[in-house]
Amino acid sequence: MAIEPGAWERFLQEARARARAELPLQSSGTLTRLTGLVLEASGLRAPVGSQCTVQMPGQEPVLAEVVGFAGDHALLMPAGDTQGLSSGASVVPAAPYVPVPRLGEPPRALLRGSVLRLPMGAGLLGRVVDAQGQPLDHGGPLAEVAAVPLGRGQINAMERDPVRTPLDTGVRAINALLTVGRGQRLGLFAGSGVGKSVLLGMMARYTQADVIVVGLIGERGREVKEFIEDILGAEGRARSVVVAAPADAPPLLRMQGAAYATAVAEHFRDQGQHVLLLMDSLTRYAMAQREIALAIGEPPATKGYPPSCFARLPQLVERSGNGLHGVGSITAFYTVLSEGDDQQDPIADAARAILDGHIVLSRALAEAGHYPAIDIEQSASRVMHSVVSRGHLELARRFRALYSRYQKSRDLIQVGAYVPGTDPQLDEAIRLQPQMAAFLQQDMYEAATLEHSVQAMAQLLDASP
């Protein structure tokens, strides 16, 4: 490889500059208090977001992050088990990352402070990692990865391409009536046990995407392996990256897991690939932030959620979407738990306002054996009119009208109070009801392409797409 003239001189100058650079003195602190989830250290001078280690003689150090301060006391949130810590433990900032200068590369600024860096790269494909980038699948160390800062700058909204291209999810009800656009962000709203994970697995297997990133945040540990082996399957796992931070992980790691999954999706998007991001769940992310905020003394606002929870949600969600000038995209599905099937839950209400659509799963449909249990009447895709033809849009509008007409008159029909011939539109809805119900149902191992979904809907309504 030819070295351009002057490269040696620039390399030596950069090496000398780094050798003469005055690194800031890293102050260490002393653990003075442990209350609930919060560690308090005196004498520590570290900015918010810095990584620190709490060290006790004869024990493994505990990683912690500075989340606030009060006077000369720093407040830290542990990322590990605090069992065995005692007053007087040493709190030391993590070593700053110093990039190694390489011949022929442009000079890089010397990074100061303890910046959180996690593995990114093609070596993550097919792997299952935790919120700190450590493999969980016993597949050996990660290869073809590099340590990259977790935090990223915001993308100018005027530099993003609008959502204009339809995305085939493989789910007939979504393709036909809630068509998704590439780069769209949707919420999957449901209570517990109505088929959210199965629907996510269907989309992971059948969606047209180059890379799939799955974030399992705050879910039961048992569900992690079941989702990967039974729902995601070998085909879906081969092109997927799974980041797991189960319910027993500290709140800091649950939040970090969601941020890490989003950063991995951003990494592949920046390479021009189309990414499908599945986050389960956004509510657990907000709950982790609530635990941290309440622990450091932030006052609760709406149903126990501090204001910082509602500020964190858009910061996470806005990172997905289309890349700069149409290069790469992240189509994101976030599951949102509705406590007691209440769609007015504060987190569900806040998520609905910042997402580009919502898919509501009905417990009544699930109890009736209707899967996927998508409530068409309450669901909406805000970009469907921009990604489908006028004929497709008219078919979906007509299907919705007939389906809704039957549901509103269902009680009258079942008790025999309705006289056929009174309402021609309702008569048509009654005639088509069995076909419409069958159209909306789909086996989890069955794929339905976008084109075939529209053709089936047109055939059902005796129209042409």
Side-chain angles (χ1 to χ4, degrees), residues 238-294:
R239 55 174 178 155
S240 301
V241 180
V242 180
V243 180
D248 59 347
L252 180 66
L253 290 186
R254 278 178 267 150
M255 291 192 63
Q256 185 173 302
Y260 184 30
T262 305
V264 172
E266 289 175 319
H267 172 81
F268 288 106
R269 178 188 65 186
D270 294 345
Q271 295 180 348
Q273 295 180 299
H274 297 295
V275 183
L276 176 66
L277 173 62
L278 305 176
M279 186 77 70
D280 186 15
S281 72
L282 195 63
T283 305
R284 304 298 187 194
Y285 173 81
M287 288 180 174
Q289 171 60 20
R290 177 175 64 178
E291 293 179 36
I292 295 175
L294 293 177

Side-chain angles (χ1 to χ4, degrees), residues 19-39:
R20 291 193 301 264
E22 294 183 1
L23 294 176
L25 293 177
Q26 297 287 356
S27 63
S28 61
T30 302
L31 185 65
T32 58
R33 186 177 181 184
L34 193 161
T35 305
L37 301 173
V38 180
L39 305 177

Side-chain angles (χ1 to χ4, degrees), residues 215-232:
L216 301 177
I217 311 301
E219 295 301 313
R220 292 180 290 272
R222 174 187 60 83
E223 290 186 338
V224 174
K225 189 172 184 179
E226 290 182 359
F227 180 88
I228 294 169
E229 294 184 353
D230 302 336
I231 298 178
L232 192 60

Side-chain angles (χ1 to χ4, degrees), residues 23 34 58 66 71 76 174 195 206 278 317 328-329 393 400 432 444 447:
L23 294 176
L34 193 161
V66 179
L76 302 95
I174 297 177
Y206 306 132
L278 305 176
V317 170
S329 67
L393 201 62
R400 280 174 171 270
L432 295 177
M444 65 179 293

Side-chain angles (χ1 to χ4, degrees), residues 10 23 113 148 169 210 242 276 361 424 431:
R10 287 196 300 271
L23 294 176
V148 178
T169 62
D210 301 322
V242 180
L276 176 66
L361 300 186
R431 178 177 64 85

Side-chain angles (χ1 to χ4, degrees), residues 289-357:
Q289 171 60 20
R290 177 175 64 178
E291 293 179 36
I292 295 175
L294 293 177
I296 63 177
E298 186 177 348
T302 307
K303 290 190 177 181
Y305 286 96
S308 61
C309 292
F310 303 100
R312 287 273 191 166
L313 290 178
Q315 292 176 3
L316 180 71
V317 170
E318 284 295 326
R319 293 172 62 179
S320 57
N322 287 328
L324 292 171
H325 309 295
V327 179
S329 67
I330 300 176
T331 305
F333 286 86
Y334 300 92
T335 65
V336 181
L337 298 177
S338 303
E339 296 182 4
D341 296 328
D342 180 16
Q343 296 300 322
Q344 303 306 317
D345 179 78
I347 298 301
D349 194 47
R352 193 181 294 109
I354 61 178
L355 293 171
D356 302 325

